[in-house]
Amino acid sequence: MTVNNDNSVSISYLSEMLEGQVAVLSSGYLDGKETLNVLNALKESKLFRKDQYSYLLYPFKELKGFLDRNTISEDAVLSSKLFQEMLKDNAVQIIERDVNGAYHFNGNFKNANDVTEALEKLTGSKYNDLLASDTPKILQAFEDVFNHKAFTGRSGTFYGYEGLGSIYWHMVSKLLLAVQESCLQAVSNGEDEKMIGHLLEHFYEINEGIGVHKSPELYGAFPTDPYSHTPGGKGAQQPGMTGQVKEDVITRFGELGVFVKHGKLYFNPCLLRKEEFLSKETSFEYLSLFRGTQSIIIPTNSLAFTYCQVPIIYHISDKDCLEIIFKDGTSSKIDALTIDHKTSEKIFKRTGDVVQIKAHVNNSYLK
């Protein structure tokens, strides 16, 4: 956005950026249909990288070579009498011509302030009368050459790390979380089922595109190791834990349908897929609150995870209900998927009073 001299505002556009898409998706401003339009457009854009089935932070583009930089157009030179007079006098404070006849700004200029300072030093010189009319032209020519107002750092200056043509995995996980939030909001608002189905397709596809789900050959590294980014033409680079883990943990609990509202723990696994439930009985090991590692048997058509170190077992059922098992051997049954405030607080505080939760979830929830 540029404020013009007449107090009007002009708008110019930057290249596509994944941060911008994530920002609007997570803003809560869009409804489900608008969100779907953004995601469809995103997949058709230059940000989608087919080989990794994921999204670039900034699109790939060819940068100018060294000799192609800092070159003033002939039209800009011809528009300024000051430019022409200084070239005639071979005065190089502002502009000079190389041996090939191309025009360049003084190589010592770092920004427009340096140009302004150099122009001010011409006050009282033979060029004084041209300063008032030509200073705006010269500053505009400088901006046309360098486009400093559109400078966004690495996104426009190099290819490695989180630069041009690179997948930045933390931002992909932020995208995944934003899409999940949009899916949950659409479900909560009772929006069109078919549209929600298309939103979920995007959610599952983005999730599958994250490195942990890939083969070492495709990912270019051990998929279970954390990496910062994947530049064009290379595998995953820069090993080390990034903020990605935070979004992935949040997203996984959202996918499992674990939420807290008004201090109450409740379950709504509306994004969970049936294929995640076990096809055969298996043993589940977890770190308990007081006895180190423990194991429990998980039956067919169930899945298990822990929340605040309390094992939670989902069973596919024809109705919603909970069974809460306490340390003293007693249990409590609830014909809903919401736990009361008092019991929820015990779970959050890890008191050890709650030792297991069995959640029977309606088959109709699952995808």
Side-chain angles (χ1 to χ4, degrees), residues 212-312:
V212 72
H213 301 291
K214 292 179 172 158
S215 67
E217 181 181 21
L218 178 58
Y219 191 51
F222 289 111
T224 51
D225 288 347
Y227 282 83
S228 167
H229 64 282
T230 297
K234 293 183 179 180
Q237 302 287 301
Q238 197 178 359
M241 189 67 73
T242 71
Q244 179 183 13
V245 66
K246 169 173 59 69
E247 273 76 21
D248 285 353
V249 169
I250 294 171
T251 302
R252 182 54 180 160
F253 275 108
E255 197 173 4
L256 288 167
V258 183
F259 304 102
V260 178
K261 187 174 183 179
H262 303 309
K264 297 178 182 180
L265 180 63
Y266 74 97
F267 306 98
N268 180 22
C270 57
L271 307 185
L272 195 59
R273 291 174 284 187
K274 291 179 183 177
E275 64 190 51
E276 295 214 40
F277 285 74
L278 297 171
S279 59
K280 62 179 181 180
E281 183 181 281
T282 190
S283 177
F284 172 56
E285 288 192 355
Y286 67 97
L287 187 64
S288 73
L289 284 164
F290 303 113
R291 299 180 184 176
T293 302
Q294 287 189 288
S295 65
I296 50 179
I297 299 299
I298 308 301
T300 304
N301 292 325
S302 302
L303 65 78
F305 58 95
T306 61
Y307 184 85
C308 296
Q309 291 178 262
V310 175
I312 298 170

Side-chain angles (χ1 to χ4, degrees), residues 11-303:
I11 302 295
S12 56
Y13 293 89
L14 297 169
S15 298
E16 301 93 326
M17 296 185 184
L18 191 57
E19 298 107 312
Q21 315 307 311
V22 171
V24 72
L25 289 170
S26 62
S27 68
Y29 181 75
L30 306 181
D31 62 21
K33 184 178 180 180
E34 291 168 325
T35 296
L36 184 59
N37 288 337
V38 170
L39 293 172
N40 288 339
L42 183 60
K43 193 172 179 181
E44 295 298 320
S45 75
K46 292 183 290 185
L47 292 177
F48 184 62
R49 186 167 152 183
K50 291 182 179 179
D51 65 323
Q52 291 288 332
Y53 215 82
S54 195
Y55 292 90
L56 302 172
L57 191 59
Y58 312 106
F60 180 85
K61 64 180 178 182
E62 291 286 348
L63 295 176
K64 289 182 178 180
F66 180 77
L67 296 179
D68 296 321
R69 297 172 183 268
N70 188 16
T71 299
I72 309 171
S73 71
E74 189 170 357
D75 287 344
V77 174
L78 293 175
S79 72
S80 169
K81 183 69 173 175
L82 179 55
F83 269 158
Q84 295 172 48
E85 289 297 316
M86 295 189 80
L87 286 167
K88 187 190 301 180
D89 297 340
N90 200 30
V92 297
Q93 298 98 313
I94 308 293
I95 189 174
E96 59 183 309
R97 180 167 40 207
D98 66 22
V99 294
N100 296 318
Y103 304 103
H104 310 281
F105 280 104
N106 186 320
N108 292 316
F109 291 159
K110 301 183 295 297
N111 51 46
N113 290 335
D114 289 347
V115 183
T116 300
E117 186 178 337
L119 288 167
E120 288 174 348
K121 288 181 179 179
L122 298 178
T123 302
S125 70
K126 62 179 292 189
Y127 309 113
N128 186 77
D129 293 342
L130 297 173
L131 290 175
S133 62
D134 281 27
T135 291
K137 297 178 183 178
I138 291 172
L139 290 174
Q140 184 58 52
F142 187 80
E143 179 61 26
D144 290 342
V145 170
F146 295 103
N147 197 21
H148 278 175
K149 72 177 180 181
F151 178 70
T152 55
R154 67 189 71 188
S155 67
T157 52
F158 61 85
Y159 296 98
Y161 300 96
E162 296 88 41
L164 297 166
S166 284
I167 296 173
Y168 181 42
W169 291 109
H170 187 183
M171 187 55 66
V172 175
S173 288
K174 288 185 177 185
L175 171 66
L176 181 67
L177 180 57
V179 175
Q180 184 187 80
E181 291 170 345
S182 300
C183 291
L184 292 170
Q185 187 63 43
V187 171
S188 176
N189 291 342
E191 297 190 46
D192 180 70
E193 287 288 334
K194 185 176 180 180
M195 182 272 296
I196 292 173
H198 288 311
L199 284 178
L200 289 173
E201 287 174 6
H202 280 288
F203 172 73
Y204 297 136
E205 286 178 356
I206 295 166
N207 193 29
E208 289 300 318
I210 289 177
V212 72
H213 301 291
K214 292 179 172 158
S215 67
E217 181 181 21
L218 178 58
Y219 191 51
F222 289 111
T224 51
D225 288 347
Y227 282 83
S228 167
H229 64 282
T230 297
K234 293 183 179 180
Q237 302 287 301
Q238 197 178 359
M241 189 67 73
T242 71
Q244 179 183 13
V245 66
K246 169 173 59 69
E247 273 76 21
D248 285 353
V249 169
I250 294 171
T251 302
R252 182 54 180 160
F253 275 108
E255 197 173 4
L256 288 167
V258 183
F259 304 102
V260 178
K261 187 174 183 179
H262 303 309
K264 297 178 182 180
L265 180 63
Y266 74 97
F267 306 98
N268 180 22
C270 57
L271 307 185
L272 195 59
R273 291 174 284 187
K274 291 179 183 177
E275 64 190 51
E276 295 214 40
F277 285 74
L278 297 171
S279 59
K280 62 179 181 180
E281 183 181 281
T282 190
S283 177
F284 172 56
E285 288 192 355
Y286 67 97
L287 187 64
S288 73
L289 284 164
F290 303 113
R291 299 180 184 176
T293 302
Q294 287 189 288
S295 65
I296 50 179
I297 299 299
I298 308 301
T300 304
N301 292 325
S302 302
L303 65 78

